[in-house]
Amino acid sequence: MKRVLNGTVVATALLASVHAHAQGGVTLYGLIDTGVDWESHAATAPGQTSAPGSAIRMTSLSSALPSRWGLRGKEDLGSGLSAIFELESGFAPNSGTLQNGNRIFGRSAWVGIESPYGTVRVGRQINMTYVALMKSTVLGPALYSLAALDPYLPNSRSDNTLSYFNDFHHFVMGATYSTGRDAQSSAGSAAVNGGATYNPGATNCPGSVAGSPTSCRQITALAGYWGPEFGLQLVYDELRGGPGALPGSVSFDPSMPLLLSSASQKTTRYMVSGYAQLGDLSFRGGAIHRMTAATMDYQTNIFYIGASYMVAPDVELDGEISRITTTDQKNANYYVMRATYLLSKRTSIYTMLGFMQNNSRASYAVGAGYFTVAGAKQTGVLFGVQQRF
């Protein structure tokens, strides 16, 4: 309760500051996006052997996009330099609670300098894996998206991060370096990991350990070409384990509840992806190879391709097909379609249809963050509304 009250006080003060300095280059922005989701063969927890039936619920973590509000600022310093900052808070519209590990500014909290030679930022921010994903998938971080196959992807942001990014005549390069990728933990009843429960948005790895500079370190790098008609990019993402934030605990791999108990244990991703724009029709796709070296070695491969088409100025259709294969043969095919109707420049309604085709060992749910049983052929239908401000 105290944390929520403190967050309310901070938010009120910031809003007052925006009102007082609206001419000083500070912008208040955000979106509220929620809907009603129905899924067949729904389970209430992971590892169940039978599904009690279908489930209907209002979305909380994400619908078409995660709900958020934020503040952005920019000040011209002269000689081509600008000071910039961003504070962004994620929330659940169905309950009003905070997301991203219950942080008031869990989506981003950084300050930086923008120049003709690139942009440098310091603080909590998205990393290059997230940047590349937003360029190469038509669905983004929706409830029905690649997040259902790898929950790290829509949560690929890091604490304690120094970043650099530059776009030079459409050739792009960027990198992030985090000394402690996630200082938040998720308290719960699990006996393992010091009482913390698995949460891809709070993975319990604060870093800054004396004598172990690589504990909880994360490095991401991106290189590519972003042209008006096509683009291609390569990404490297390495995150290491280490002591957790709770006494006696260790960190999580944000892809799955696998412990990374020391700095020598790590998860590495390699991504190649791109896009092509042909008038009102666009194609996006890529491949992501992940290797986790811990008490066991684990690998996954995700392949995805999608298309988006503006049928009319106010109607957009999206579709994406993806496939995951794993070391232990938990394989699945995933099919998603979405139709969006723009009521205005700021308001839209949409519907999504998803189908998850698990093999006999896999139990990926059609909706990210939910559960089903091994071998399920699960269908999901989502109706939602989004309003930007």
Side-chain angles (χ1 to χ4, degrees), residues 158 166 255:
S158 311
N166 194 13
S255 307

Side-chain angles (χ1 to χ4, degrees), residues 261-282:
S261 58
S262 70
S264 63
Q265 298 180 349
K266 64 180 182 179
T267 291
T268 306
R269 283 180 179 78
Y270 302 88
M271 177 194 293
V272 56
S273 58
Y275 63 88
Q277 188 71 43
L278 306 172
D280 293 329
L281 176 65
S282 66

Side-chain angles (χ1 to χ4, degrees), residues 184-330:
Q184 290 295 102
S185 60
S186 179
S189 59
V192 71
N193 207 43
T197 55
Y198 171 63
N199 183 332
T203 60
N204 195 32
C205 210
S208 303
V209 178
S212 182
T214 60
S215 286
C216 300
R217 184 184 71 184
Q218 182 163 22
I219 298 172
T220 70
L222 177 150
Y225 175 82
W226 292 353
E229 296 179 346
F230 72 93
L232 180 67
Q233 57 202 355
L234 302 173
V235 172
Y236 173 81
D237 184 330
E238 176 195 291
L239 59 88
R240 291 184 176 266
L246 301 176
S249 66
V250 296
S251 69
F252 281 116
D253 181 326
S255 307
M256 60 184 296
L258 181 65
L259 301 183
L260 298 175
S261 58
S262 70
S264 63
Q265 298 180 349
K266 64 180 182 179
T267 291
T268 306
R269 283 180 179 78
Y270 302 88
M271 177 194 293
V272 56
S273 58
Y275 63 88
Q277 188 71 43
L278 306 172
D280 293 329
L281 176 65
S282 66
F283 295 95
R284 299 172 186 263
I288 305 170
H289 176 63
R290 166 192 158 222
M291 299 186 297
T292 297
T295 54
M296 59 176 287
D297 291 338
Y298 196 77
Q299 297 186 32
T300 67
N301 292 291
I302 294 177
F303 308 93
Y304 62 99
I305 186 169
S308 179
Y309 182 61
M310 294 298 299
V311 179
D314 55 0
V315 178
E316 183 176 21
L317 299 179
D318 306 301
E320 190 167 90
I321 300 173
S322 53
R323 175 171 173 78
I324 186 170
T325 62
T326 72
T327 300
D328 53 355
Q329 299 182 2
K330 293 179 178 179

Side-chain angles (χ1 to χ4, degrees), residues 19 30 89 94 114 131 153 174 180 215 262 282 291 342 360 364 370 379 384:
H19 179 75
S89 178
N94 67 326
E114 192 177 79
V131 171
L153 296 174
S215 286
S262 70
S282 66
M291 299 186 297
L342 305 175
S360 60
Y364 305 98
Y370 296 139
T379 301

Side-chain angles (χ1 to χ4, degrees), residues 329-349:
Q329 299 182 2
K330 293 179 178 179
N331 306 335
N333 299 322
Y334 191 29
Y335 310 90
V336 181
M337 295 184 64
R338 177 172 63 191
T340 304
Y341 179 65
L342 305 175
L343 298 173
S344 70
K345 291 182 178 180
R346 297 188 298 142
T347 305
S348 61
I349 56 176

Side-chain angles (χ1 to χ4, degrees), residues 21-67:
H21 302 284
Q23 302 304 315
V26 178
T27 302
L28 170 66
Y29 67 93
L31 66 88
I32 302 175
D33 187 334
T34 191
V36 177
D37 167 57
W38 175 87
E39 295 180 20
S40 64
H41 303 293
T44 57
Q48 292 183 344
T49 57
S50 62
S54 62
I56 186 168
R57 48 215 161 187
M58 184 174 290
T59 59
S60 58
L61 179 62
S62 182
S63 195
L65 288 172
S67 297

